mmCIF file of all heavy atoms in Angstrom:
data_model
loop_
_atom_site.group_PDB
_atom_site.id
_atom_site.type_symbol
_atom_site.label_atom_id
_atom_site.label_comp_id
_atom_site.label_asym_id
_atom_site.label_seq_id
_atom_site.Cartn_x
_atom_site.Cartn_y
_atom_site.Cartn_z
ATOM 1 N N GLU L 1 -19.455 -18.453 -4.042
ATOM 2 C CA GLU L 1 -19.768 -19.865 -4.267
ATOM 3 C C GLU L 1 -19.136 -20.798 -3.243
ATOM 4 O O GLU L 1 -19.260 -22.025 -3.356
ATOM 5 C CB GLU L 1 -19.309 -20.279 -5.685
ATOM 6 C CG GLU L 1 -19.912 -19.441 -6.805
ATOM 7 C CD GLU L 1 -21.431 -19.540 -6.839
ATOM 8 O OE1 GLU L 1 -21.950 -20.630 -6.486
ATOM 9 O OE2 GLU L 1 -22.089 -18.558 -7.206
ATOM 10 N N ASN L 2 -18.470 -20.234 -2.270
ATOM 11 C CA ASN L 2 -17.826 -21.064 -1.243
ATOM 12 C C ASN L 2 -18.895 -21.701 -0.346
ATOM 13 O O ASN L 2 -19.748 -20.993 0.197
ATOM 14 C CB ASN L 2 -16.886 -20.197 -0.398
ATOM 15 C CG ASN L 2 -15.948 -21.022 0.462
ATOM 16 O OD1 ASN L 2 -16.290 -22.095 0.952
ATOM 17 N ND2 ASN L 2 -14.734 -20.509 0.651
ATOM 18 N N PRO L 3 -18.913 -23.017 -0.174
ATOM 19 C CA PRO L 3 -19.933 -23.644 0.679
ATOM 20 C C PRO L 3 -19.764 -23.322 2.150
ATOM 21 O O PRO L 3 -20.725 -23.441 2.930
ATOM 22 C CB PRO L 3 -19.737 -25.142 0.409
ATOM 23 C CG PRO L 3 -18.308 -25.274 -0.035
ATOM 24 C CD PRO L 3 -18.011 -24.013 -0.796
ATOM 25 N N ASN L 4 -18.571 -22.897 2.565
ATOM 26 C CA ASN L 4 -18.344 -22.520 3.958
ATOM 27 C C ASN L 4 -18.806 -21.093 4.189
ATOM 28 O O ASN L 4 -18.654 -20.229 3.325
ATOM 29 C CB ASN L 4 -16.865 -22.648 4.316
ATOM 30 C CG ASN L 4 -16.384 -24.076 4.285
ATOM 31 O OD1 ASN L 4 -17.100 -24.989 4.698
ATOM 32 N ND2 ASN L 4 -15.176 -24.285 3.797
ATOM 33 N N ASP L 5 -19.357 -20.846 5.378
ATOM 34 C CA ASP L 5 -19.725 -19.483 5.739
ATOM 35 C C ASP L 5 -18.938 -19.076 6.974
ATOM 36 O O ASP L 5 -17.856 -19.617 7.240
ATOM 37 C CB ASP L 5 -21.240 -19.345 5.912
ATOM 38 C CG ASP L 5 -21.794 -20.282 6.981
ATOM 39 O OD1 ASP L 5 -21.001 -20.790 7.802
ATOM 40 O OD2 ASP L 5 -23.021 -20.498 7.011
ATOM 41 N N ASN L 6 -19.460 -18.141 7.762
ATOM 42 C CA ASN L 6 -18.714 -17.665 8.922
ATOM 43 C C ASN L 6 -18.513 -18.738 9.985
ATOM 44 O O ASN L 6 -17.592 -18.616 10.809
ATOM 45 C CB ASN L 6 -19.410 -16.443 9.522
ATOM 46 C CG ASN L 6 -19.124 -15.174 8.740
ATOM 47 O OD1 ASN L 6 -18.014 -14.657 8.769
ATOM 48 N ND2 ASN L 6 -20.124 -14.689 8.024
ATOM 49 N N SER L 7 -19.331 -19.785 9.971
ATOM 50 C CA SER L 7 -19.087 -20.897 10.891
ATOM 51 C C SER L 7 -17.786 -21.605 10.549
ATOM 52 O O SER L 7 -17.204 -22.289 11.396
ATOM 53 C CB SER L 7 -20.257 -21.885 10.847
ATOM 54 O OG SER L 7 -20.384 -22.456 9.550
ATOM 55 N N GLY L 8 -17.327 -21.430 9.302
ATOM 56 C CA GLY L 8 -16.038 -21.961 8.861
ATOM 57 C C GLY L 8 -15.031 -20.866 8.585
ATOM 58 O O GLY L 8 -14.111 -21.051 7.778
ATOM 59 N N ASN L 9 -15.240 -19.694 9.222
ATOM 60 C CA ASN L 9 -14.337 -18.536 9.106
ATOM 61 C C ASN L 9 -14.280 -17.950 7.686
ATOM 62 O O ASN L 9 -13.261 -17.395 7.289
ATOM 63 C CB ASN L 9 -12.915 -18.891 9.576
ATOM 64 C CG ASN L 9 -12.865 -19.254 11.039
ATOM 65 O OD1 ASN L 9 -13.530 -18.629 11.869
ATOM 66 N ND2 ASN L 9 -12.100 -20.284 11.376
ATOM 67 N N GLN L 10 -15.378 -18.062 6.938
ATOM 68 C CA GLN L 10 -15.426 -17.498 5.596
ATOM 69 C C GLN L 10 -16.522 -16.435 5.528
ATOM 70 O O GLN L 10 -17.702 -16.728 5.673
ATOM 71 C CB GLN L 10 -15.713 -18.586 4.550
ATOM 72 C CG GLN L 10 -14.590 -19.573 4.359
ATOM 73 C CD GLN L 10 -13.357 -18.951 3.749
ATOM 74 O OE1 GLN L 10 -13.439 -17.972 3.004
ATOM 75 N NE2 GLN L 10 -12.190 -19.509 4.026
ATOM 76 N N PHE L 11 -16.094 -15.181 5.309
ATOM 77 C CA PHE L 11 -17.048 -14.084 5.119
ATOM 78 C C PHE L 11 -17.283 -13.950 3.616
ATOM 79 O O PHE L 11 -16.344 -13.748 2.850
ATOM 80 C CB PHE L 11 -16.495 -12.780 5.697
ATOM 81 C CG PHE L 11 -17.493 -11.662 5.720
ATOM 82 C CD1 PHE L 11 -18.374 -11.528 6.792
ATOM 83 C CD2 PHE L 11 -17.589 -10.770 4.668
ATOM 84 C CE1 PHE L 11 -19.312 -10.502 6.819
ATOM 85 C CE2 PHE L 11 -18.518 -9.744 4.688
ATOM 86 C CZ PHE L 11 -19.378 -9.616 5.768
ATOM 87 N N ARG L 12 -18.549 -14.025 3.188
ATOM 88 C CA ARG L 12 -18.859 -14.095 1.766
ATOM 89 C C ARG L 12 -19.573 -12.839 1.266
ATOM 90 O O ARG L 12 -20.402 -12.259 1.974
ATOM 91 C CB ARG L 12 -19.721 -15.334 1.486
ATOM 92 C CG ARG L 12 -19.052 -16.646 1.899
ATOM 93 C CD ARG L 12 -19.931 -17.841 1.634
ATOM 94 N NE ARG L 12 -21.179 -17.787 2.393
ATOM 95 C CZ ARG L 12 -22.158 -18.688 2.308
ATOM 96 N NH1 ARG L 12 -22.019 -19.707 1.475
ATOM 97 N NH2 ARG L 12 -23.253 -18.590 3.041
ATOM 98 N N GLN L 13 -19.249 -12.475 0.012
ATOM 99 C CA GLN L 13 -19.877 -11.345 -0.664
ATOM 100 C C GLN L 13 -20.329 -11.769 -2.053
ATOM 101 O O GLN L 13 -19.862 -12.776 -2.581
ATOM 102 C CB GLN L 13 -18.879 -10.184 -0.814
ATOM 103 C CG GLN L 13 -18.210 -9.737 0.471
ATOM 104 C CD GLN L 13 -17.078 -8.776 0.177
ATOM 105 O OE1 GLN L 13 -17.275 -7.584 0.047
ATOM 106 N NE2 GLN L 13 -15.871 -9.302 0.068
ATOM 107 N N VAL L 14 -21.210 -10.974 -2.650
ATOM 108 C CA VAL L 14 -21.618 -11.259 -4.026
ATOM 109 C C VAL L 14 -20.479 -10.899 -4.977
ATOM 110 O O VAL L 14 -19.615 -10.056 -4.659
ATOM 111 C CB VAL L 14 -22.906 -10.507 -4.412
ATOM 112 C CG1 VAL L 14 -24.051 -10.904 -3.492
ATOM 113 C CG2 VAL L 14 -22.688 -9.001 -4.402
ATOM 114 N N THR L 15 -20.486 -11.508 -6.135
ATOM 115 C CA THR L 15 -19.414 -11.286 -7.107
ATOM 116 C C THR L 15 -19.609 -10.001 -7.895
ATOM 117 O O THR L 15 -18.659 -9.259 -8.138
ATOM 118 C CB THR L 15 -19.329 -12.484 -8.072
ATOM 119 O OG1 THR L 15 -19.091 -13.674 -7.321
ATOM 120 C CG2 THR L 15 -18.208 -12.295 -9.088
ATOM 121 N N ASN L 16 -20.837 -9.710 -8.302
ATOM 122 C CA ASN L 16 -21.106 -8.560 -9.162
ATOM 123 C C ASN L 16 -21.698 -7.410 -8.359
ATOM 124 O O ASN L 16 -22.686 -7.588 -7.630
ATOM 125 C CB ASN L 16 -22.064 -8.959 -10.285
ATOM 126 C CG ASN L 16 -21.442 -9.984 -11.220
ATOM 127 O OD1 ASN L 16 -20.429 -9.727 -11.841
ATOM 128 N ND2 ASN L 16 -22.048 -11.169 -11.300
ATOM 129 N N VAL L 17 -21.089 -6.253 -8.501
ATOM 130 C CA VAL L 17 -21.497 -5.060 -7.761
ATOM 131 C C VAL L 17 -21.732 -3.921 -8.768
ATOM 132 O O VAL L 17 -20.929 -3.712 -9.673
ATOM 133 C CB VAL L 17 -20.419 -4.628 -6.736
ATOM 134 C CG1 VAL L 17 -20.909 -3.454 -5.903
ATOM 135 C CG2 VAL L 17 -20.020 -5.792 -5.840
ATOM 136 N N PHE L 18 -22.840 -3.199 -8.570
ATOM 137 C CA PHE L 18 -23.153 -2.047 -9.416
ATOM 138 C C PHE L 18 -23.044 -0.784 -8.564
ATOM 139 O O PHE L 18 -23.507 -0.740 -7.412
ATOM 140 C CB PHE L 18 -24.546 -2.194 -10.014
ATOM 141 C CG PHE L 18 -24.679 -3.417 -10.883
ATOM 142 C CD1 PHE L 18 -25.131 -4.613 -10.354
ATOM 143 C CD2 PHE L 18 -24.305 -3.380 -12.217
ATOM 144 C CE1 PHE L 18 -25.236 -5.758 -11.132
ATOM 145 C CE2 PHE L 18 -24.395 -4.516 -13.018
ATOM 146 C CZ PHE L 18 -24.866 -5.700 -12.472
ATOM 147 N N ASN L 19 -22.428 0.258 -9.154
ATOM 148 C CA ASN L 19 -22.106 1.468 -8.405
ATOM 149 C C ASN L 19 -22.491 2.715 -9.186
ATOM 150 O O ASN L 19 -22.673 2.674 -10.410
ATOM 151 C CB ASN L 19 -20.599 1.556 -8.122
ATOM 152 C CG ASN L 19 -19.973 0.239 -7.713
ATOM 153 O OD1 ASN L 19 -20.020 -0.138 -6.550
ATOM 154 N ND2 ASN L 19 -19.375 -0.459 -8.666
ATOM 155 N N TYR L 20 -22.561 3.835 -8.474
ATOM 156 C CA TYR L 20 -22.491 5.135 -9.134
ATOM 157 C C TYR L 20 -21.272 5.865 -8.589
ATOM 158 O O TYR L 20 -20.828 5.602 -7.461
ATOM 159 C CB TYR L 20 -23.776 5.952 -8.971
ATOM 160 C CG TYR L 20 -24.090 6.431 -7.574
ATOM 161 C CD1 TYR L 20 -23.647 7.680 -7.121
ATOM 162 C CD2 TYR L 20 -24.843 5.653 -6.688
ATOM 163 C CE1 TYR L 20 -23.952 8.131 -5.860
ATOM 164 C CE2 TYR L 20 -25.144 6.092 -5.424
ATOM 165 C CZ TYR L 20 -24.709 7.338 -5.010
ATOM 166 O OH TYR L 20 -24.996 7.790 -3.742
ATOM 167 N N GLU L 21 -20.715 6.766 -9.394
ATOM 168 C CA GLU L 21 -19.459 7.421 -9.039
ATOM 169 C C GLU L 21 -19.566 8.938 -9.272
ATOM 170 O O GLU L 21 -20.168 9.379 -10.252
ATOM 171 C CB GLU L 21 -18.302 6.850 -9.869
ATOM 172 C CG GLU L 21 -18.147 5.336 -9.733
ATOM 173 C CD GLU L 21 -16.857 4.797 -10.314
ATOM 174 O OE1 GLU L 21 -15.976 5.623 -10.641
ATOM 175 O OE2 GLU L 21 -16.719 3.567 -10.437
ATOM 176 N N LEU L 22 -18.960 9.704 -8.370
ATOM 177 C CA LEU L 22 -18.919 11.165 -8.456
ATOM 178 C C LEU L 22 -17.525 11.632 -8.065
ATOM 179 O O LEU L 22 -16.944 11.094 -7.119
ATOM 180 C CB LEU L 22 -19.951 11.809 -7.517
ATOM 181 C CG LEU L 22 -21.435 11.544 -7.783
ATOM 182 C CD1 LEU L 22 -22.267 12.063 -6.613
ATOM 183 C CD2 LEU L 22 -21.862 12.211 -9.074
ATOM 184 N N GLY L 23 -17.003 12.616 -8.779
ATOM 185 C CA GLY L 23 -15.667 13.104 -8.436
ATOM 186 C C GLY L 23 -15.326 14.427 -9.080
ATOM 187 O O GLY L 23 -16.157 15.052 -9.756
ATOM 188 N N PHE L 24 -14.110 14.841 -8.867
ATOM 189 C CA PHE L 24 -13.603 16.098 -9.425
ATOM 190 C C PHE L 24 -12.096 15.983 -9.586
ATOM 191 O O PHE L 24 -11.452 15.104 -8.997
ATOM 192 C CB PHE L 24 -13.951 17.286 -8.511
ATOM 193 C CG PHE L 24 -13.331 17.197 -7.142
ATOM 194 C CD1 PHE L 24 -12.101 17.780 -6.887
ATOM 195 C CD2 PHE L 24 -13.977 16.528 -6.116
ATOM 196 C CE1 PHE L 24 -11.520 17.690 -5.633
ATOM 197 C CE2 PHE L 24 -13.390 16.433 -4.860
ATOM 198 C CZ PHE L 24 -12.172 17.016 -4.611
ATOM 199 N N GLY L 25 -11.534 16.876 -10.368
ATOM 200 C CA GLY L 25 -10.088 16.859 -10.577
ATOM 201 C C GLY L 25 -9.654 18.057 -11.394
ATOM 202 O O GLY L 25 -10.451 18.951 -11.720
ATOM 203 N N ILE L 26 -8.371 18.092 -11.749
ATOM 204 C CA ILE L 26 -7.798 19.181 -12.548
ATOM 205 C C ILE L 26 -6.858 18.582 -13.574
ATOM 206 O O ILE L 26 -5.984 17.779 -13.235
ATOM 207 C CB ILE L 26 -7.030 20.194 -11.670
ATOM 208 C CG1 ILE L 26 -7.955 20.811 -10.611
ATOM 209 C CG2 ILE L 26 -6.436 21.300 -12.530
ATOM 210 C CD1 ILE L 26 -7.244 21.765 -9.678
ATOM 211 N N ASP L 27 -7.039 18.944 -14.837
ATOM 212 C CA ASP L 27 -6.100 18.578 -15.897
ATOM 213 C C ASP L 27 -4.963 19.596 -15.918
ATOM 214 O O ASP L 27 -5.210 20.805 -16.015
ATOM 215 C CB ASP L 27 -6.801 18.604 -17.266
ATOM 216 C CG ASP L 27 -7.794 17.463 -17.429
ATOM 217 O OD1 ASP L 27 -7.566 16.399 -16.856
ATOM 218 O OD2 ASP L 27 -8.790 17.652 -18.155
ATOM 219 N N PHE L 28 -3.744 19.111 -15.854
ATOM 220 C CA PHE L 28 -2.558 19.958 -15.983
ATOM 221 C C PHE L 28 -1.873 19.622 -17.312
ATOM 222 O O PHE L 28 -1.504 18.472 -17.549
ATOM 223 C CB PHE L 28 -1.592 19.726 -14.816
ATOM 224 C CG PHE L 28 -2.092 20.257 -13.507
ATOM 225 C CD1 PHE L 28 -2.678 19.403 -12.578
ATOM 226 C CD2 PHE L 28 -1.986 21.601 -13.203
ATOM 227 C CE1 PHE L 28 -3.147 19.869 -11.366
ATOM 228 C CE2 PHE L 28 -2.457 22.093 -11.981
ATOM 229 C CZ PHE L 28 -3.040 21.228 -11.067
ATOM 230 N N TYR L 29 -1.701 20.617 -18.161
ATOM 231 C CA TYR L 29 -1.113 20.417 -19.484
ATOM 232 C C TYR L 29 0.392 20.622 -19.422
ATOM 233 O O TYR L 29 0.877 21.743 -19.201
ATOM 234 C CB TYR L 29 -1.737 21.398 -20.483
ATOM 235 C CG TYR L 29 -3.210 21.165 -20.717
ATOM 236 C CD1 TYR L 29 -4.154 21.614 -19.804
ATOM 237 C CD2 TYR L 29 -3.649 20.486 -21.849
ATOM 238 C CE1 TYR L 29 -5.513 21.407 -20.017
ATOM 239 C CE2 TYR L 29 -5.013 20.271 -22.068
ATOM 240 C CZ TYR L 29 -5.930 20.732 -21.144
ATOM 241 O OH TYR L 29 -7.277 20.515 -21.355
ATOM 242 N N LEU L 30 1.112 19.541 -19.598
ATOM 243 C CA LEU L 30 2.564 19.591 -19.652
ATOM 244 C C LEU L 30 3.010 19.512 -21.103
ATOM 245 O O LEU L 30 2.176 19.459 -22.019
ATOM 246 C CB LEU L 30 3.156 18.449 -18.820
ATOM 247 C CG LEU L 30 2.640 18.369 -17.371
ATOM 248 C CD1 LEU L 30 3.280 17.200 -16.643
ATOM 249 C CD2 LEU L 30 2.886 19.670 -16.629
ATOM 250 N N TYR L 31 4.299 19.503 -21.343
ATOM 251 C CA TYR L 31 4.761 19.561 -22.733
ATOM 252 C C TYR L 31 4.476 18.264 -23.480
ATOM 253 O O TYR L 31 3.991 18.285 -24.620
ATOM 254 C CB TYR L 31 6.267 19.865 -22.776
ATOM 255 C CG TYR L 31 6.797 20.021 -24.189
ATOM 256 C CD1 TYR L 31 6.443 21.124 -24.958
ATOM 257 C CD2 TYR L 31 7.620 19.057 -24.748
ATOM 258 C CE1 TYR L 31 6.901 21.267 -26.262
ATOM 259 C CE2 TYR L 31 8.090 19.183 -26.039
ATOM 260 C CZ TYR L 31 7.733 20.288 -26.793
ATOM 261 O OH TYR L 31 8.176 20.410 -28.084
ATOM 262 N N TYR L 32 4.721 17.111 -22.825
ATOM 263 C CA TYR L 32 4.570 15.824 -23.510
ATOM 264 C C TYR L 32 3.270 15.089 -23.180
ATOM 265 O O TYR L 32 2.878 14.178 -23.911
ATOM 266 C CB TYR L 32 5.747 14.901 -23.184
ATOM 267 C CG TYR L 32 7.028 15.305 -23.869
ATOM 268 C CD1 TYR L 32 8.065 15.877 -23.146
ATOM 269 C CD2 TYR L 32 7.198 15.110 -25.235
ATOM 270 C CE1 TYR L 32 9.244 16.257 -23.764
ATOM 271 C CE2 TYR L 32 8.377 15.479 -25.869
ATOM 272 C CZ TYR L 32 9.391 16.049 -25.133
ATOM 273 O OH TYR L 32 10.562 16.422 -25.746
ATOM 274 N N PHE L 33 2.623 15.412 -22.098
ATOM 275 C CA PHE L 33 1.411 14.694 -21.720
ATOM 276 C C PHE L 33 0.560 15.558 -20.800
ATOM 277 O O PHE L 33 1.002 16.605 -20.304
ATOM 278 C CB PHE L 33 1.750 13.363 -21.036
ATOM 279 C CG PHE L 33 2.553 13.507 -19.771
ATOM 280 C CD1 PHE L 33 1.944 13.666 -18.541
ATOM 281 C CD2 PHE L 33 3.948 13.480 -19.815
ATOM 282 C CE1 PHE L 33 2.685 13.795 -17.382
ATOM 283 C CE2 PHE L 33 4.706 13.608 -18.666
ATOM 284 C CZ PHE L 33 4.066 13.765 -17.441
ATOM 285 N N LYS L 34 -0.670 15.075 -20.580
ATOM 286 C CA LYS L 34 -1.594 15.738 -19.663
ATOM 287 C C LYS L 34 -1.639 14.923 -18.369
ATOM 288 O O LYS L 34 -1.908 13.718 -18.383
ATOM 289 C CB LYS L 34 -2.978 15.839 -20.300
ATOM 290 C CG LYS L 34 -3.997 16.603 -19.468
ATOM 291 C CD LYS L 34 -5.226 16.998 -20.279
ATOM 292 C CE LYS L 34 -5.970 15.802 -20.827
ATOM 293 N NZ LYS L 34 -7.234 16.219 -21.502
ATOM 294 N N PHE L 35 -1.381 15.590 -17.260
ATOM 295 C CA PHE L 35 -1.350 14.944 -15.948
ATOM 296 C C PHE L 35 -2.586 15.381 -15.163
ATOM 297 O O PHE L 35 -2.858 16.578 -15.047
ATOM 298 C CB PHE L 35 -0.079 15.340 -15.202
ATOM 299 C CG PHE L 35 -0.067 14.903 -13.761
ATOM 300 C CD1 PHE L 35 -0.033 13.553 -13.439
ATOM 301 C CD2 PHE L 35 -0.087 15.832 -12.739
ATOM 302 C CE1 PHE L 35 -0.020 13.143 -12.101
ATOM 303 C CE2 PHE L 35 -0.064 15.443 -11.416
ATOM 304 C CZ PHE L 35 -0.031 14.093 -11.101
ATOM 305 N N THR L 36 -3.315 14.394 -14.616
ATOM 306 C CA THR L 36 -4.598 14.700 -13.974
ATOM 307 C C THR L 36 -4.709 14.021 -12.624
ATOM 308 O O THR L 36 -4.918 12.797 -12.546
ATOM 309 C CB THR L 36 -5.774 14.238 -14.851
ATOM 310 O OG1 THR L 36 -5.655 14.801 -16.154
ATOM 311 C CG2 THR L 36 -7.101 14.642 -14.228
ATOM 312 N N PRO L 37 -4.584 14.769 -11.520
ATOM 313 C CA PRO L 37 -4.955 14.223 -10.212
ATOM 314 C C PRO L 37 -6.461 14.386 -10.021
ATOM 315 O O PRO L 37 -7.047 15.410 -10.399
ATOM 316 C CB PRO L 37 -4.171 15.094 -9.227
ATOM 317 C CG PRO L 37 -3.974 16.388 -9.952
ATOM 318 C CD PRO L 37 -3.955 16.092 -11.418
ATOM 319 N N SER L 38 -7.098 13.377 -9.454
ATOM 320 C CA SER L 38 -8.544 13.448 -9.241
ATOM 321 C C SER L 38 -8.934 12.662 -7.998
ATOM 322 O O SER L 38 -8.240 11.725 -7.591
ATOM 323 C CB SER L 38 -9.306 12.919 -10.459
ATOM 324 O OG SER L 38 -9.042 11.541 -10.658
ATOM 325 N N ILE L 39 -10.067 13.035 -7.424
ATOM 326 C CA ILE L 39 -10.658 12.335 -6.292
ATOM 327 C C ILE L 39 -12.064 11.911 -6.698
ATOM 328 O O ILE L 39 -12.826 12.720 -7.242
ATOM 329 C CB ILE L 39 -10.701 13.210 -5.031
ATOM 330 C CG1 ILE L 39 -9.275 13.554 -4.566
ATOM 331 C CG2 ILE L 39 -11.473 12.543 -3.916
ATOM 332 C CD1 ILE L 39 -9.234 14.481 -3.366
ATOM 333 N N ARG L 40 -12.401 10.637 -6.442
ATOM 334 C CA ARG L 40 -13.715 10.157 -6.840
ATOM 335 C C ARG L 40 -14.293 9.246 -5.763
ATOM 336 O O ARG L 40 -13.581 8.428 -5.185
ATOM 337 C CB ARG L 40 -13.612 9.402 -8.164
ATOM 338 C CG ARG L 40 -14.973 9.109 -8.789
ATOM 339 C CD ARG L 40 -14.881 8.924 -10.286
ATOM 340 N NE ARG L 40 -14.337 7.642 -10.665
ATOM 341 C CZ ARG L 40 -13.247 7.470 -11.422
ATOM 342 N NH1 ARG L 40 -12.568 8.518 -11.846
ATOM 343 N NH2 ARG L 40 -12.836 6.267 -11.742
ATOM 344 N N GLY L 41 -15.576 9.416 -5.513
ATOM 345 C CA GLY L 41 -16.300 8.549 -4.600
ATOM 346 C C GLY L 41 -17.022 7.461 -5.370
ATOM 347 O O GLY L 41 -17.586 7.707 -6.438
ATOM 348 N N VAL L 42 -17.005 6.241 -4.814
ATOM 349 C CA VAL L 42 -17.661 5.079 -5.431
ATOM 350 C C VAL L 42 -18.694 4.550 -4.427
ATOM 351 O O VAL L 42 -18.362 4.262 -3.279
ATOM 352 C CB VAL L 42 -16.646 3.973 -5.772
ATOM 353 C CG1 VAL L 42 -17.341 2.797 -6.443
ATOM 354 C CG2 VAL L 42 -15.545 4.520 -6.670
#
């Protein structure tokens, strides 16, 4: 919604973005909690 654009040094983007996501990871079962490292593409 900024009235200035790149002529005023403002690079503008839309506010709402829709994505799909894909990834993988491993659940590690510890005594008190489950720890999960994962990698995901957006």
Side-chain angles (χ1 to χ4, degrees):
E1 303 299 328
N2 194 326
N4 294 321
D5 59 17
N6 281 289
S7 62
N9 296 320
Q10 291 293 332
F11 189 86
R12 301 179 298 178
Q13 306 170 86
V14 300
T15 301
N16 295 299
V17 184
F18 299 93
N19 318 277
Y20 68 92
E21 304 192 11
L22 296 170
F24 62 92
I26 301 177
D27 289 329
F28 289 100
Y29 295 79
L30 307 179
Y31 184 70
Y32 287 107
F33 60 89
K34 184 165 61 175
F35 171 66
T36 306
S38 64
I39 296 177
R40 192 156 76 238
V42 181

